[in-house]
């Protein structure tokens, strides 16, 4: 086999391991989700070694999708961290063998506090599975490692089961994009979900003219505005919009007579408008739906306060 073929085979092995999880997802999965959904405290994820690394990621995924969670190393519990556990918490304990000594010594402390345990192991007959309130079977037939030793397929399966729990909880909580933005205010998606028209709109040097203005004069204002549009107003209120496309089509239609026509002859009389508090994700949806590159931002009296174009939304 070539180097690439070895890599392809590893991916195939791990993909098969993931598909093998599906028949193992039974009422225990439902019970685990309900335990976490009813949890009034935190989901405390724990594990040792590679399971610990995966557990830390699962805890981060829970927290970012509306389920308060953090990871704790069971070794730290012996040195004072037991105090982080409170009634109302749920422990998600991860061990592929289900027999990890450091984790098993930690379990009696959890049971003593009457905190339910969701065990995630590859061995349903293990001690961890036995003492868990509910057990998630993440067993795989073999590792992707050619020696069947290095945790590969098993860690992928663990991660996928953690994601499955997180997604099920998101659905149960009716988690929305706005909620995601609340937990990711610094990321690109968070910015897009929280940013409004008022944050990105252009408010200065807007190309505005009367509907009776001749197109020859209006085309100059549209060009100077560099927005690809001009807004027609009467008594301070929007009555229409013309775009570069409208002007081009008018020139193709009327040729030399183009300069004899007024803005009102080609303007769209009901342009798409939004208020200042509309999120840019909604503005992008409007642009995509109506195949337009800009929207007008108005106040409550249909007065122009700004323009948001396609480039303004690219944050």
């Amino acid at each position: 086999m070539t180097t690439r073929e070895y890599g392809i085979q590893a991916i195939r092995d791990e993909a098969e391991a993931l598909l093998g999880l599906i028949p193992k997802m039974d009422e225990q999965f439902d019970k685990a989700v309900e335990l976490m959904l009813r949890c009034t405290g935190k989901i405390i994820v724990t594990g040792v070694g590679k399971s610990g690394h995966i557990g830390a990621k699962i805890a981060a995924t829970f927290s970012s999708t509306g389920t308060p969670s953090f990871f704790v190393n069971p070794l730290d519990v012996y040195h004072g961290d037991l105090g982080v556990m409170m009634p109302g918490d749920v422990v998600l304990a991860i061990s592929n063998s289900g027999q990890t000594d450091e984790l098993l010594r930690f379990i009696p402390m959890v049971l003593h506090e009457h905190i339910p345990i969701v065990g995630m192991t590859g061995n349903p007959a293990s001690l961890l599975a036995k003492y868990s309130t509910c057990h998630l079977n993440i067993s795989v037939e073999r590792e992707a490692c050619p020696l069947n030793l290095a945790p590969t397929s098993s860690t992928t399966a663990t991660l996928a089961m953690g994601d499955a729990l997180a997604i099920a909880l998101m659905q149960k909580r009716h988690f929305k994009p706005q909620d995601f933005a609340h937990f990711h205010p610094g990321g690109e998606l968070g910015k897009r979900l929280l940013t409004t028209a008022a944050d990105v709109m252009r408010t200065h040097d807007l190309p505005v003219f009367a509907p009776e203005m001749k197109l020859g004069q209006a085309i100059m204002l549209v060009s100077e505005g560099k927005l690809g549009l001009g807004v027609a107003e009467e008594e301070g209120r929007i009555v229409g919009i013309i775009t570069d496309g409208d002007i081009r089509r008018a020139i193709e239609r009327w040729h030399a007579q183009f300069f004899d026509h007024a803005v009102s002859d080609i303007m769209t009389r009901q342009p798409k408008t939004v208020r200042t508090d509309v999120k840019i994700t909604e503005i992008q949806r409007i642009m995509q739906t109506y195949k337009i590159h800009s929207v007008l931002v108005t106040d409550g009296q249909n007065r122009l306060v700004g323009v948001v174009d396609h480039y303004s939304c690219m944050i």
Side-chain angles (χ1 to χ4, degrees):
M1 292 177 66
T2 66
T3 302
R4 186 183 305 173
E5 288 172 334
Y6 287 131
I8 291 171
Q9 186 59 51
I11 291 174
R12 283 204 180 105
D13 289 343
E14 296 202 10
E16 290 174 5
L18 292 184
L19 292 174
L21 288 180
I22 295 175
K24 301 182 182 76
M25 295 177 68
D26 52 18
E27 67 280 354
Q28 292 292 299
F29 182 85
D30 300 331
K31 186 176 180 181
V33 171
E34 288 303 315
L35 267 178
M36 295 179 175
L37 192 64
R38 294 196 307 268
C39 175
T40 57
K42 308 165 293 297
I43 307 299
I44 301 172
V45 185
T46 187
V48 178
K50 301 295 189 301
S51 294
H53 296 311
I54 297 297
K57 189 276 177 186
I58 292 173
T61 300
F62 282 158
S63 291
S64 68
T65 53
T67 299
S69 177
F70 64 87
F71 174 81
V72 62
N73 189 316
L75 299 174
D76 294 334
V77 173
Y78 309 133
H79 302 284
D81 282 3
L82 184 62
V84 302
M85 298 186 187
M86 304 291 291
D89 292 343
V90 172
V91 166
L92 172 60
I94 304 171
S95 169
N96 187 46
S97 69
Q99 300 289 125
T100 307
D101 182 63
E102 297 90 340
L103 195 61
L104 291 178
R105 286 191 284 134
F106 162 75
I107 296 304
M109 304 179 191
V110 179
L111 296 176
H112 179 74
E113 298 294 328
H114 304 290
I115 295 173
I117 300 171
V118 176
M120 189 184 293
T121 84
N123 181 6
S126 64
L127 286 175
L128 176 56
K130 177 181 178 181
Y131 287 109
S132 294
T133 310
C134 54
H135 175 253
L136 302 177
N137 186 351
I138 52 169
S139 60
V140 298
E141 288 190 11
R142 62 172 284 110
E143 300 286 2
C145 167
L147 303 177
N148 197 31
L149 294 174
T152 46
S153 297
S154 59
T155 49
T156 300
T158 306
L159 183 61
M161 186 63 77
D163 286 342
L165 289 170
I167 298 306
L169 287 165
M170 287 177 68
Q171 296 284 5
K172 285 283 192 177
R173 296 185 194 282
H174 306 290
F175 199 77
K176 299 291 189 297
Q178 293 78 5
D179 302 315
F180 191 88
H182 175 75
F183 291 105
H184 297 75
E188 179 181 347
L189 179 59
K191 290 179 182 177
R192 292 177 59 242
L193 291 169
L194 295 173
T195 303
T196 66
D199 297 321
V200 299
M201 67 183 182
R202 175 172 154 184
T203 59
H204 62 281
D205 299 328
L206 300 177
V208 176
F209 33 65
E212 61 269 17
M213 178 180 285
K214 295 298 183 181
L215 287 174
Q217 186 178 358
I219 194 174
M220 298 299 294
L221 294 176
V222 171
S223 178
E224 291 172 3
K226 298 180 180 179
L227 284 170
L229 58 81
V231 182
E233 289 186 347
E234 284 184 339
E235 299 181 352
R237 288 176 171 79
I238 299 169
V239 294
I241 186 175
I242 63 173
T243 67
D244 285 341
D246 295 327
I247 293 170
R248 184 182 64 255
R249 287 185 289 272
I251 292 174
E252 292 172 351
R253 176 183 177 187
W254 290 320
H255 300 288
Q257 286 74 43
F258 169 82
F259 297 96
D260 299 328
H261 289 271
V263 168
S264 58
D265 294 332
I266 66 170
M267 70 183 186
T268 299
R269 297 180 181 274
Q270 292 183 318
K272 299 304 175 187
T273 64
V274 297
R275 300 288 290 274
T276 56
D277 60 348
V278 173
K279 303 291 191 296
I280 63 170
T281 48
E282 173 61 16
I283 293 174
Q284 289 176 314
R285 187 196 65 79
I286 293 171
M287 291 179 183
Q288 292 169 0
T289 300
Y290 295 99
K291 305 293 191 295
I292 57 178
H293 64 78
S294 301
V295 296
L296 307 181
V297 185
T298 64
D299 63 10
Q301 273 66 53
N302 200 37
R303 291 188 289 258
L304 181 68
V305 297
V307 175
V308 175
D309 64 9
H310 169 74
Y311 297 104
S312 302
C313 298
M314 296 175 64
I315 62 172

